[in-house]
Structures are given as structure tokens and as C-alpha cells.
Amino acid sequence: MLGCGCPVILLLLIKFLDLSFVSSASSSSPNATRPRSPPSIDYYEDFTIEPPGPSTTYSEGSKNNCKYDLCVEHQQTCKELEKATGCRCPGLSSAYTPPSPPRLLGLIQQDGRGVVVHWCAPTSVVTHYIVWVRGNGKVMDRNIQVEERKRTAVLEDVEAGAYVCVEAVNKGGGSEKDKSCATFEPQNSESGLALKLGIIGGVVGLILLLILALLLWRHKTRQITTARTETEGVL
């Protein structure tokens, strides 16, 4: 009896051991009972930010233009403002390139024959200006030197019809002289004074003529009145 049941007991023991092994294997394997977690993604690996190095420079667009008026005198030059504030001077040429011609604003007459010359600086580096006067004769030809910060100059004894020019100068040379010139036309010229005197004389003559006509009319009226009185006395 015992001998017949040995094979059966042996089979049951093998099956029990097999089930125990499978159970222990499945409990130890994470892939069998646990869901897979999604792989971690490093969202920052492609967006690393490096601090700027000492050689970082600003682009021209990040700078503002210097507050510099080309027609105002006694102010800092654009280059000085650029160094002091970090602004930029657009279109400013080199100090070794001949400057562009300044823009002549006009000639303003002072008392007598004095003339004030007013101009605007060019978009160039300028060391000084030269104001030229060319008259009808060589005796009137002269020039004066003006510092870079000035925008006006006073000329004395300028005759009517004189040619006045402003030249900008730097280390590269001077600007074109004939590009910034004007002819001086005095406001009270001899012809204008003669015209005014003629008008005044005409007005005075007209007033005298009216006064004379009035006196003649009154005289004639008195004569008529006297004649009537004498006629009535005779009758």
C-alpha cells in the first residue's frame, strides 16, 4: 500500500515545489506585476544658459542716438557724449576724412555793416571752421578761424553783394568751400533808402498840393461873397 502510493506522493511533491518556484519568481520580477513607469526626461538639457563672458559687446540697435543738435553752439561734441554716456553718433565720418560742408542758415545784418553768420555743423569730425568773405575787390577778401564748438561768427565792414562762405576743417582737410555760401544783401541798401525818400517826398508834396487847393478855394469863395454884398448894397 505504501509502495503504491510513493509515486503519487512524489508527483505531488514535485508539483508543489514547481508552483512555489513560479510564485517566488513572479513576486521577485517587477515587470510581471508592476506597470512600467515612463522614462524620466530632462527638460533642461537643451536649454542651458551660459553667463556672458567679458568679451560681450552691445549691438548698435541697443544704443540710443546721442542728443546732439548740429545747429547749437557751446555744447559737447558728439564723440565726447559717446564716450561719456555710451550713446552713438550715426553717420559720423572719420577725423582723417575731409568733412562734409556745413549747412549755412543765413546772414543777419547788425548795426552798420556788421553781419552775423549762422551755420549748422556737418556729420563729420571737425577741428575748426573758417569763415570766408569775398568782396568785389581783393582788399575785401579775408577769413577768420572759429573754434569747433561755435556755430556763429560776426563779420565787420561787409559790403553789399559780398560772398560769405563757411568751411569745416579737420585732419583730413577742408570741406568744399562753394557748398556753404551766401551773398550778403543789406536790408537798408542805397536803392531802398532812395525809394523810401521818394515815397515820403511824394506824400509831402500831395499834402502841400491839397493845402494849396484849399486856400485857393477859400480865397475864391471870399471874392464871390464880397461881390454879392457890394451888388446888394447898390440895389
Side-chain angles (χ1 to χ4, degrees):
M1 179 99 180
L2 184 59
C4 295
C6 287
V8 176
I9 294 173
L10 183 59
L11 290 173
L12 291 175
L13 182 59
I14 293 174
K15 187 174 182 180
F16 175 77
L17 292 176
D18 187 30
L19 290 175
S20 299
F21 176 78
V22 172
S23 176
S24 61
S26 61
S27 61
S28 62
S29 176
N31 297 331
T33 57
R34 299 177 183 177
R36 293 186 178 181
S37 59
S40 62
I41 301 175
D42 188 2
Y43 291 96
Y44 300 97
E45 69 178 330
D46 295 332
F47 298 92
T48 55
I49 301 176
E50 297 181 358
S55 61
T56 302
T57 57
Y58 294 95
S59 62
E60 292 184 359
S62 63
K63 294 183 179 181
N64 296 323
N65 293 341
C66 297
K67 295 181 180 180
Y68 181 72
D69 193 336
L70 298 174
C71 302
V72 177
E73 60 182 5
H74 298 302
Q75 61 177 338
Q76 285 183 302
T77 64
C78 196
K79 283 294 185 182
E80 290 174 348
L81 290 174
E82 188 176 37
K83 292 179 180 178
T85 64
C87 60
R88 63 190 183 100
C89 300
L92 196 65
S93 60
S94 170
Y96 295 93
T97 302
S100 303
R103 181 165 60 94
L104 188 62
L105 292 181
L107 307 176
I108 303 174
Q109 183 179 0
Q110 283 189 330
D111 296 337
R113 300 176 64 182
V115 177
V116 178
V117 187
H118 191 193
W119 67 89
C120 295
T123 54
S124 309
V125 175
V126 178
T127 56
H128 62 277
Y129 297 94
I130 298 178
V131 181
W132 299 81
V133 181
R134 299 176 184 175
N136 295 327
K138 291 184 178 180
V139 179
M140 295 296 299
D141 292 348
R142 64 187 186 276
N143 65 80
I144 59 174
Q145 184 171 319
V146 184
E147 63 174 328
E148 189 274 336
R149 300 177 189 271
K150 295 278 290 182
R151 298 292 181 270
T152 58
V154 180
L155 303 174
E156 300 293 341
D157 296 328
V158 180
E159 63 179 5
Y163 205 50
V164 181
C165 303
V166 181
E167 178 187 2
V169 182
N170 63 10
K171 296 179 181 179
S175 61
E176 299 181 45
K177 299 178 183 178
D178 296 335
K179 296 296 183 179
S180 305
C181 300
T183 302
F184 173 58
E185 297 293 344
Q187 297 176 358
N188 296 325
S189 60
E190 294 180 359
S191 59
L193 182 60
L195 179 61
K196 289 182 179 180
L197 292 176
I199 293 174
I200 293 173
V203 172
V204 172
L206 180 60
I207 293 173
L208 292 176
L209 183 61
L210 291 174
I211 293 173
L212 181 60
L214 179 61
L215 292 175
L216 291 174
W217 177 77
R218 291 183 65 181
H219 179 69
K220 188 175 182 179
T221 303
R222 286 179 181 179
Q223 287 180 347
I224 295 173
T225 304
T226 304
R228 286 180 179 177
T229 302
E230 290 177 354
T231 304
E232 291 176 355
V234 173
L235 292 176

